Structure formats: structure tokens, C-alpha cells
Amino acid sequence: MIVKTFPPTSRKTEDKPQVTEVVTENGQSTLVVSSPKYITQPHLETEAILYDAAEIREHYRHRPLQVFQRIVAVLRPTLSFVLGLWWDSRRGIEMKKDHRRAVQLRELLTQLGPAYIKIGQALSTRPDLVPPAYLEELTRLQDQLPPFPNEIAYQFIEEELGAPPPEIYAELSLQPIAAASLGQVYKGKLKTGEEVAVKVQRPDLRDKITIDLFILRQLAAWVQNRVKRIRSDLVGILDELGDRIFEEMDYIHEGENAERFFELYGHIKDIYVPKIYWEYTNRRVLTMEWINGTKLTQTAEINAKGIDARYLIEVGVQCSLRQLLEHGFFHADPHPGNLLATPEGKLAYLDFGMMSEVQPPQRYGLIEAIVHVVNRDFEGLANDYVKLDFLSPETDLTPIIPAFARVFADAQGASVADLNIKSITDELSALMYEYPFRVPPYYALIIRSLVTLEGIAIYIDPEFKVLNEAYPYVAKRLLTDQAPQLRTSLQNLLFKDEKFRWNRLENLLKNAKRNQDYDLNLVLNQGVDFLSSERGAFIRDKMVDEFLNGINAVGKNVLHNFTYVLRERVGLTAINETPKATVEQEQTLEHIKRILNILRETGGFDPMKLAPQMAQLLVNPDVQRLGQQVTNRLTQKALARLIRELLAVEQAQNTTSKSF
């Protein structure tokens, strides 16, 4: 007998099962799993089944009849539904209010299978797109699908965990409490007393998913090759979706995703991630902590419990920003069935099957794009689209920049508070047919995640604007992140034509102080470090110039009084006419005053706490060197101005003498 041992799947969970393959002399093999709490559990699968488009294509290439039958099975009820809508319109029946057709659409998507149910779930979060009658029915696709028989579910539990359900769980609900596109959930209790949710996968799921993905991929390739106006990588987008769905069908992978999600985001205030019970989890069965909660879209129930649903959406937006822009590991399916308000007022995330990642270049590119949108820098935005791989580097951006200006001028207002992701996405989609844009595969799941979250937010509060909630986080990142890309972005934001834009700094500080993680002390420390470094030389020099322009509004009067006395002492004629500061100098001084007020109003600003910090800064060699540089420049400029004042008077005297 040959025994082969596979290490536990997760590096950080000690009580996860250890899978062992036992091969007998006749060549037959069986797999067992051992753990501290549960021993001798035979398994059927040990390796994840990954999405392989080439292998799937080869499989169905030899089965044309099966593919044809599936196409007919999809088209027949779909065409019947479309013809019904057409006939209703001819008879004057308003589609938007026809509840009967809404029910038919839900039943149609359910009949077509998991891939089409996913489409319905995405639509169910868009009250701005879908009429209320249809929205109500499509919402049922999230967790109210027809269940499959208990006998099959119990068989899967026994096959995956090595014993019948009564030997594993102390209690298990007689019927599933929820049924979704890929599986159904039972409420149970472990022998040790913990309440759990037991998710069991639907039968024949892989076969149903793969044939639909194959057909849709073939259709996408046909469209991409023949419709020249389509420049997006439709095949790549479908392959990305295929990767995610296949991962979602592997519950061990989902458990690992949940643990990673907890490690990265579980510390965020009012975010809750359920625990995975590894000794009762395998490929087709997942056992996780039971969460008592209410869907975010059930606002009446949430408010009745004294919980602020809008606040939880704000928490969800902040968590999503961390996912997309900080760590890059994000929940790609945040529909209402996966987001619950707990009785304690926390936002609980469920279902970690469909996750995806954003690489660092894309993360920084997205931050820069948000900054450029907010500040109406359309030239910068066009360059962001090149960095994000929407446009090739050879693309002529000249006609695209004014096109962006038109899009964002019409995007529901002129301020960040009025911008809406859906409206922007719609406008940009129209541009993609006019100019050589292409949609990279990674972007599809990002926009799906953001638009879905925004749909939930709009359902709770029609006036909710995701970008308005996002910009404080982005402002904080610009002020605190040391990444070279963001330092360059900050420099481009604050300077234009080598002129410092005080209003942009004022806006950044005002927004950043709204972010709960904003640390003013960190900003001050990092700001000093950066300004005293070589990389900060440009900003340092320009800020000294602008600061001098600001104090001119006050300093001119002081300097004039000093030179007036000095001219009298040396016998020069003194002209006691107080000079006036320019409008620009007065505006700069006002900006500086407002910025000081913003700093005083920022959370964490405490003069008593800042005093020791300032004392430490003063003995910092870099700070001392920066202070010397600033002092030298101030002294040089002050002396130059003094000499100019004296020479100006002498020249005026000489001119007066000659005239007499």
C-alpha cells in the first residue's frame, strides 16, 4: 500500500483537515482526511478543478449535438418571452408595471441555469435600471431559488465529510433556509454547540456552467472578430468570469478566501467576517459560523432594530475602497443576499466564492483617475486610461480629452458630491464606440462590484453618491501614501504651470479629515520627511515661493515701515505711502488662513500633544536642514526686496532733482 499525504490547504489554520491518499495493491485509491476533531473522512476530490477554456473547447468540439440542444433550450423560452413582451406592447400593456411578466422573467432565468441566474442577480441591485415590479422578482434570485432534494444534499455531505449528517451535526434544519445559484444553505448546530450555516453545492453544477460558458465564449469571439466597433476583449472578460465561477464552485477555496478577507479587513470598524469550520468543510460542503442578520435592502426591518442602514452602506463603501485601492483583494459579488446587518449594528459579509484581485499598477491608476475626475483634469484622466490599458500608448489623445470634458460636464452636476458611477459608466460606454477604447478583462469585475454596491446604496438612499463617500479616503491616501506614483499625482494635483494651487490643497485637507482613519500626525511627519528629501525639492522650493507671496500681504507693510525709518536715518527722502498687497497675494493669505483653520478642526489636532512631536521634529537633522534652506531663501528674498525699496527711492530722488 502507498500512502501520499497532502498538506493542509491554509497556512494559518492549524485545525484544517489533512488529506491523505491511500493507494491499494490493485491500483485503486481512496482519500481520507484527518483532523484533531474528526478522523477518517474519505474524500472524492483533493485538487481544485480550474477553468481551462482550451480544454472545455476541445471537450465540446466533439459534442456538437449537445451544444445545439443547449442553444435551442436557451433560445426557445427566451424568444417566447420576448415575443410576449412585443405582443403586450401592441395591446397597450405597460411592461414596467406588468407583475406577470416579471414573474415570467424570474422563472425564465431560473430555468436557464446558474450562468443566467448570475445575470439576474446583478440586475436585481439596479433600481435605477429595473422597474420596481421586476426588481422585486429578481431579488428572489439571490437566495430564494428552487432547492434540490435533501437526499442529494445529505449524500454530498456524507461523500465529502465521510459520515452521514446526524453523525457530524447535532442539528440540521429539515429544509434549506436559502437556495442560491450554486448551492443551498441549511442551518445547523455542531456537537460542540456552535450554530453554523452548512452550504451544499448543487448537483451537476460544473456541467451546466461549462456548456453555457463555452457557448457564450464562442459567441463573444464571433462578435469580437466581426463587429469592428467592439474593441473590448470580450473573450478575455468571459475567461475572467469563468475563472471566478470555477473558484466559486470550490468551497475549500471559498473558505480560504474568507480567512484572507478577515485578515485584511476584519479589523475595520463595524465589519464582521464569519468563521470557517475547516473540519466540516470540503469541495462541495462548507460549514461556517451562522450569522443572525437582515439584508441591507430590508430597510424597514433594520430601522425597526435601531440600526442606521445608511451608515452601514458607508461602512461598506469604505471597506470596498480598501479592497479595490489598498490591498487589491475584493469581493466581486456584493449583492444584498451577501451583505447583512447584524443585531449589533455591524456589516457582515457572506459568500466568498467570487473574489478577484487588482494589481498595484491598476490600484494606483484607479486612485489617480478618481483624483482627475474630481478635479476635472481631463488630460490627466486620458493618460490614466492609457496606464490602465483602456487605450494603447500610441493613441492620439487630442480628441479624447474634450470628449471626457463633455461626459463629465453632463454627469449629473459639476461637483464630486453629484457624480454617480452608473451615469459616468453609461456616458463612457458611449465614448468607447467613438474612440479606440478596449475594456481590459480585470475591469469587468471591478465595475460589477462597484455598480452593485452603488445599486444597494441607491435602494437605501436615492441621494447616496459613492464618489462623494470615496473621495475622503482617496484624499487621505494622496496625503499619506509614500508610493512614488501617488507622490507624483499629488505634485501634479497641487501644481499647474509651476504655480501652487492652494485651493486644491485646501480641498484635499478638508476631504481627508472626513476619513475616520486619517492621521494628522502621520501626515505632518511624512510631509516633513518628504519635503526634506531630494524627491521633495520641487514642491519645497515652490511652497517657499508661494508662502512668501502669502506673507507679502502682511510683510509689505512691515517692510515699508522699516525702510521708511531707515531712509530717514540715512538722509533719504521718505515717502510714507503704504503699499497695497495684490489681489493674488491676498487670496493666498486667505487660503493659508483657511488651511490653518482646517488643521485645527481636524480630529487628532491637539496642541498639547503636538508640542512634544514638534520638539522631536526640531532636532531632526532633515528638518533642521529644511529649516535652514527655508530661512536662507526667506533672508535672500527679504534682503533683495529691501535693496529694491531703497534703490527705488534713490532713483525717484534723482529723477526729481533732474526735473528741477
Side-chain angles (χ1 to χ4, degrees):
M1 185 182 344
I2 303 170
V3 178
K4 183 180 178 184
T5 301
F6 297 83
T9 312
S10 172
R11 300 186 301 273
K12 299 188 177 181
T13 306
E14 296 177 356
D15 62 346
K16 287 185 65 175
Q18 183 170 345
V19 181
T20 305
E21 180 183 9
V22 180
V23 183
T24 60
E25 292 180 359
N26 62 5
Q28 298 296 317
S29 68
T30 183
L31 301 172
V32 298
V33 67
S34 60
S35 73
K37 296 182 181 178
Y38 202 76
I39 310 297
T40 322
Q41 302 168 11
H43 286 232
L44 296 180
E45 297 177 304
T46 57
E47 294 183 4
I49 306 299
L50 302 177
Y51 173 76
D52 187 330
E55 186 178 324
I56 292 172
R57 184 176 62 251
E58 183 64 22
H59 175 80
Y60 286 110
R61 190 170 67 86
H62 302 289
R63 294 167 174 80
L65 181 60
Q66 186 180 351
V67 173
F68 177 75
Q69 288 173 339
R70 179 56 183 164
I71 292 172
V72 171
V74 171
L75 284 180
R76 188 165 50 197
T78 302
L79 290 175
S80 175
F81 177 74
V82 172
L83 286 172
L85 292 178
W86 174 79
W87 182 244
D88 286 347
S89 66
R90 292 292 302 268
R91 293 186 298 160
I93 298 174
E94 189 175 354
M95 185 196 76
K96 292 183 178 181
K97 297 180 180 178
D98 192 348
H99 183 263
R100 178 176 54 90
R101 292 296 185 192
V103 172
Q104 286 180 357
L105 177 60
R106 173 180 57 78
E107 291 174 345
L108 169 64
L109 295 174
T110 302
Q111 175 188 341
L112 294 181
Y116 298 91
I117 291 170
K118 288 286 183 187
I119 295 172
Q121 288 176 346
L123 290 173
S124 73
T125 64
R126 298 306 311 189
D128 51 338
L129 293 179
V130 180
Y134 284 76
L135 196 70
E136 182 180 351
E137 285 301 315
L138 292 178
T139 300
R140 298 181 62 186
L141 294 174
Q142 293 161 10
D143 55 12
Q144 298 179 48
L145 293 171
F148 58 91
N150 280 348
E151 292 77 11
I152 297 177
Y154 293 165
Q155 177 189 334
F156 282 4
I157 291 174
E158 184 171 357
E159 289 175 352
E160 294 294 304
L161 303 183
E167 295 182 23
I168 300 172
Y169 304 103
E171 296 177 11
L172 200 64
S173 58
L174 294 177
Q175 297 297 330
I177 50 91
S181 55
L182 303 188
Q184 60 193 33
V185 180
Y186 295 84
K187 183 177 182 180
K189 183 180 285 188
L190 299 179
K191 304 283 188 182
T192 49
E194 297 98 326
E195 286 191 332
V196 293
V198 182
K199 184 157 75 168
V200 186
Q201 193 171 109
R202 288 185 177 274
D204 304 321
L205 184 61
R206 194 179 305 138
D207 291 340
K208 294 175 181 177
I209 290 285
T210 50
I211 193 167
D212 283 337
L213 285 175
F214 169 75
I215 293 169
L216 291 171
R217 192 178 190 274
Q218 295 297 106
L219 178 63
W222 186 88
V223 171
Q224 194 168 299
N225 291 331
R226 287 167 175 76
V227 182
K228 299 304 180 186
R229 296 186 68 187
I230 302 290
R231 303 182 192 90
S232 301
D233 185 3
L234 297 181
V235 173
I237 291 171
L238 270 171
D239 285 342
E240 177 79 9
L241 182 62
D243 285 335
R244 300 290 82 79
I245 291 179
F246 265 64
E247 288 175 357
E248 198 173 357
M249 289 189 287
D250 179 357
Y251 287 169
I252 287 180
H253 187 77
E254 179 175 344
E256 291 175 334
N257 285 341
E259 287 192 337
R260 185 179 175 194
F261 194 88
F262 173 77
E263 290 167 5
L264 293 176
Y265 315 114
H267 66 281
I268 298 176
K269 187 175 184 293
D270 293 326
I271 290 291
Y272 194 84
V273 182
K275 175 185 176 182
I276 303 296
Y277 292 92
W278 284 109
E279 59 270 40
Y280 311 110
T281 293
N282 201 16
R283 298 292 176 203
R284 294 181 295 175
V285 177
L286 174 70
T287 303
M288 66 191 301
E289 178 184 358
W290 177 264
I291 301 294
N292 287 307
T294 310
K295 287 184 185 179
L296 281 187
T297 48
Q298 296 175 322
T299 51
E301 292 89 335
I302 293 175
N303 293 332
K305 295 176 182 178
I307 300 170
D308 185 352
R310 194 186 192 283
Y311 166 72
L312 290 183
I313 275 293
E314 292 172 7
V315 171
V317 169
Q318 294 303 315
C319 185
S320 292
L321 291 170
R322 295 280 190 88
Q323 293 172 48
L324 291 169
L325 305 179
E326 194 164 323
H327 299 292
F329 182 66
F330 71 96
H331 197 300
D333 194 21
H335 65 70
N338 294 336
L339 296 171
L340 300 182
T342 71
E344 298 76 26
K346 294 179 181 292
L347 177 64
Y349 278 79
L350 305 178
D351 195 348
F352 301 93
M354 186 171 283
M355 310 291 290
S356 191
E357 297 207 43
V358 191
Q359 298 306 314
Q362 281 81 42
R363 297 205 291 269
Y364 291 122
L366 288 169
I367 292 174
E368 292 176 294
I370 292 172
V371 171
H372 291 141
V373 167
V374 170
N375 292 285
R376 298 297 193 270
D377 183 351
F378 303 118
E379 182 178 353
L381 184 63
N383 286 304
D384 293 334
Y385 270 70
V386 175
K387 294 178 191 174
L388 291 169
D389 205 29
F390 282 81
L391 295 166
S392 68
E394 300 78 26
T395 304
D396 179 12
L397 301 180
T398 308
I400 295 175
I401 294 169
F404 276 144
R406 290 194 303 273
V407 165
F408 291 101
D410 297 335
Q412 297 188 6
S415 71
V416 64
D418 293 325
L419 291 174
N420 178 289
I421 291 176
K422 178 61 179 57
S423 62
I424 293 172
T425 303
D426 288 346
E427 294 284 350
L428 289 176
S429 296
L431 277 189
M432 291 186 179
Y433 289 102
E434 296 181 42
Y435 301 100
F437 284 92
R438 59 194 179 201
V439 179
Y442 76 86
Y443 177 76
L445 287 176
I446 292 176
I447 200 64
R448 180 179 187 268
S449 176
L450 281 176
V451 170
T452 301
L453 185 66
E454 185 182 63
I456 300 171
I458 292 171
Y459 189 96
I460 293 172
D461 178 4
E463 299 303 315
F464 194 97
K465 305 296 180 186
V466 170
L467 277 178
N468 185 44
E469 297 296 327
Y471 196 60
Y473 170 84
V474 172
K476 181 209 75 168
R477 285 289 299 278
L478 276 178
L479 291 168
T480 60
D481 198 310
Q482 296 290 324
Q485 299 97 318
L486 294 191
R487 284 302 178 202
T488 301
S489 183
L490 179 63
Q491 177 176 310
N492 294 337
L493 177 69
L494 296 179
F495 291 93
K496 186 173 184 181
D497 301 327
E498 295 194 352
K499 188 169 184 59
F500 191 82
R501 297 190 281 188
W502 287 99
N503 61 319
R504 294 289 172 87
L505 178 60
E506 186 180 334
N507 187 43
L508 268 181
L509 292 170
K510 191 185 300 181
N511 277 284
K513 75 173 187 176
R514 292 170 49 205
N515 187 269
Q516 61 182 6
D517 297 324
Y518 180 60
D519 187 340
L520 179 59
N521 294 333
L522 179 65
V523 173
L524 293 175
N525 281 330
Q526 291 184 347
V528 170
D529 289 343
F530 179 69
L531 288 174
S532 59
S533 70
E534 239 178 79
R535 290 186 299 123
F538 176 81
I539 292 182
R540 179 178 63 240
D541 293 344
K542 293 300 176 184
M543 285 191 74
V544 170
D545 290 341
E546 291 296 328
F547 183 73
L548 283 170
N549 288 337
I551 63 173
N552 270 345
V554 176
K556 273 191 174 182
N557 292 335
V558 175
L559 181 62
H560 176 78
N561 292 336
F562 174 72
T563 54
Y564 176 78
V565 174
L566 183 61
R567 285 195 294 263
E568 278 192 329
R569 292 291 177 89
V570 298
L572 295 173
T573 303
I575 304 171
N576 193 17
E577 182 181 339
T578 304
K580 293 182 179 179
T582 66
V583 173
E584 184 181 359
Q585 289 167 344
E586 289 178 349
Q587 288 175 344
T588 300
L589 186 60
E590 285 302 312
H591 280 303
I592 293 173
K593 288 178 182 177
R594 285 198 294 270
I595 286 170
L596 291 174
N597 285 332
I598 291 170
L599 294 176
R600 279 197 294 268
E601 295 166 0
T602 301
F605 181 84
D606 184 347
M608 298 304 294
K609 289 182 180 178
L610 285 176
Q613 188 181 37
M614 294 305 294
Q616 285 184 335
L617 285 175
L618 290 175
V619 298
N620 183 317
D622 290 333
V623 176
Q624 290 179 349
R625 185 164 57 252
L626 174 61
Q628 289 171 359
Q629 292 172 353
V630 173
T631 303
N632 289 340
R633 295 203 63 191
L634 286 170
T635 304
Q636 290 170 10
K637 286 181 177 288
L639 286 173
R641 190 177 293 120
L642 175 62
I643 293 169
R644 280 199 304 271
E645 290 266 347
L646 292 172
L647 291 176
V649 172
E650 185 177 358
Q651 185 179 6
Q653 271 192 329
N654 291 336
T655 303
T656 304
S657 299
K658 287 177 182 178
S659 65
F660 286 105

